[in-house]
Amino acid sequence: KSHATIERYTVQAGAILQRLNPKLMVVACNTASAHGLGALQRAVPCPVVGVIEPGAEAASAHAEVGVIGTLATIQSGAYEAAILRRNPSATVHGAACPLLVGLAEEGWSDDPITEAVCRRYLNTLPARVSTVVLGCTHYPLLLPALQRARSGTLWIDSGEVTALAVERLLRG
């Protein structure tokens, strides 16, 4: 989907949710966060949190960071920009991993095919990268296969760190 289409869908979904008068909205999709968060924040009166900024915050302490996500998320450059705002000396390596979404949706979390696909994608990241952001909310479902494909890696779950950020915000 194009940037404009993703942005339009994000704003439409937010308009529907706004009818419920929420205290806060979370855009739990990395692609929607990368392409539609700003437009949604302008369109609704409540605070809106996406998953990229919390994921970038967690990753920014590291010098070499990998980010895996959908093609649209990686091509947006949103993670790289957010990490570099926090740590200008970091090096960010993105890898689009589109097949992982389908594998997660099929429930193939512990399958040799999934592990082989994970290994293939992760091998596109330099060996020196030991921190990888899971830049798609489907990917934590595949964490066991990802861990087997690249042992010794620190995995940052963008959804998990976003939940912690929302908790801090609401307790605020």
Side-chain angles (χ1 to χ4, degrees), residues 68-147:
I68 59 173
T70 65
L71 182 60
T73 298
I74 298 304
Q75 285 183 339
S76 76
Y79 267 107
E80 182 175 12
I83 292 167
L84 293 176
R85 273 196 308 278
R86 292 165 171 82
N87 181 358
S89 64
T91 304
V92 182
H93 306 272
C97 305
L99 293 177
L100 296 186
V101 171
L103 293 168
E105 288 177 348
E106 287 294 326
W108 291 14
S109 58
D110 196 20
D111 188 281
I113 292 170
T114 302
E115 189 172 333
V117 171
C118 289
R119 183 169 287 107
R120 178 116 182 218
Y121 283 138
L122 293 171
N123 283 344
T124 67
L125 298 173
R128 65 186 178 275
V129 172
S130 61
T131 300
V132 176
V133 177
L134 301 175
C136 174
T137 50
H138 286 78
Y139 295 177
L141 298 170
L142 304 177
L143 190 55
L146 289 162
Q147 289 171 324

